[in-house]
C-alpha cells in the first residue's frame, strides 16, 4: 500500500517506474522543428476566484499546522500536495474544484481571447493541461461556438493516438487538446 511505497528507496522507485517513462528530446524527434517561441502571460484572478483561493489557502495552512503537530511532515506530504493541487485548480478554473460552479476564471477568459486571436491569424494551437476537466470546460465552450478540435488523453487507446495526430496534420481542425 501507500506505507510500503513511502518506505521504498528512490532507486527502487526509479527501477519500478522506468518502463512507464518515455521522453524524447526535440533533436531525436525531428530536426526541422522551428525554434521554440515562448511568451508568458499573466492573468489576475477574478474577485470570486481570489476569495475562494484565500479561503482554501487559509484552511490548508490551519490543517497543515494542526497535523504537523500530531504527525511528522513526511506523513503529511500527500495532504499538503493535495492542497496545493486544489489551489492550482482554482487558478485554472474554480469549476475544477467546486462542483456546479457557475462563475468563470481569468485564465479561462484569457485563453479564449488567445484562441480567438490565433483563429483570426490562421494559427493552429496545441493546448496541454494536467487537468482533463479543464480541457473538458474549454471543449464545451468551443463546441458552443462551433469550433471543432481533436482530443487526446491517457484514456486514448495507443492504436488511436497516431491516427489522431496524423489527422491533426491534415484536417481543417486547428485545435488539439492534450
Amino acid at each position: 500500500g501507500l506505507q510500503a511505497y513511502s518506505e521504498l528507496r528512490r532507486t527502487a522507485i526509479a527501477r519500478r517506474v522506468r518502463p512507464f517513462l518515455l521522453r524524447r528530446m526535440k533533436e531525436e524527434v525531428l530536426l526541422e522543428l522551428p525554434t521554440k517561441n515562448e511568451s508568458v502571460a499573466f492573468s489576475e484572478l477574478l474577485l470570486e476566484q481570489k476569495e475562494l483561493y484565500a479561503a482554501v489557502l487559509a484552511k490548508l495552512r490551519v490543517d497543515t499546522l494542526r497535523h504537523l503537530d500530531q504527525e511528522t511532515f513526511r506523513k503529511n506530504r500527500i495532504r499538503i500536495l493535495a492542497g496545493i493541487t486544489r489551489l492550482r485548480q482554482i487558478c485554472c478554473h474554480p469549476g475544477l474544484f467546486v462542483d456546479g460552479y457557475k462563475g468563470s476564471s481569468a485564465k479561462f477568459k484569457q485563453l479564449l481571447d488567445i484562441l480567438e486571436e490565433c483563429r483570426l491569424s490562421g494559427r493552429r494551437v496545441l493546448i496541454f493541461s494536467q487537468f482533463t476537466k479543464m480541457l473538458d470546460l474549454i471543449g464545451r465552450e468551443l463546441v458552443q461556438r462551433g469550433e471543432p478540435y481533436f482530443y487526446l488523453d491517457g484514456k486514448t487507446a495507443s492504436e488511436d493516438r497516431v491516427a489522431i495526430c496524423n489527422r491533426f496534420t491534415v484536417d481543417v481542425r486547428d485545435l488539439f487538446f492534450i
Side-chain angles (χ1 to χ4, degrees), residues 41-68:
F42 294 96
S43 57
E44 186 174 338
L45 297 178
L46 300 177
L47 179 60
E48 56 201 14
Q49 278 182 284
K50 285 182 186 179
E51 291 171 352
L52 181 58
Y53 186 96
V56 171
L57 179 59
K59 182 173 181 349
L60 177 62
R61 284 182 175 154
V62 168
D63 289 350
T64 302
L65 292 174
R66 180 177 40 156
H67 290 291
L68 286 180

Side-chain angles (χ1 to χ4, degrees), residues 10-45:
R10 286 184 182 186
T11 54
I13 294 170
R15 193 171 49 253
R16 287 183 181 189
V17 299
R18 186 174 296 124
F20 304 106
L21 297 178
L22 172 64
R23 178 170 180 163
R24 295 181 293 168
M25 302 303 289
K26 176 177 139 179
E27 295 80 20
E28 298 169 349
V29 179
L30 185 63
L31 295 174
E32 298 84 30
L33 284 175
T35 57
K36 179 178 176 182
N37 293 325
E38 189 171 326
S39 62
V40 178
F42 294 96
S43 57
E44 186 174 338
L45 297 178

Side-chain angles (χ1 to χ4, degrees), residues 103-117:
S104 188
S105 85
K107 191 173 185 177
F108 184 75
K109 288 180 173 186
Q110 186 176 26
L111 174 65
L112 294 176
D113 290 343
I114 291 169
L115 291 177
E116 181 62 17
E117 289 173 20

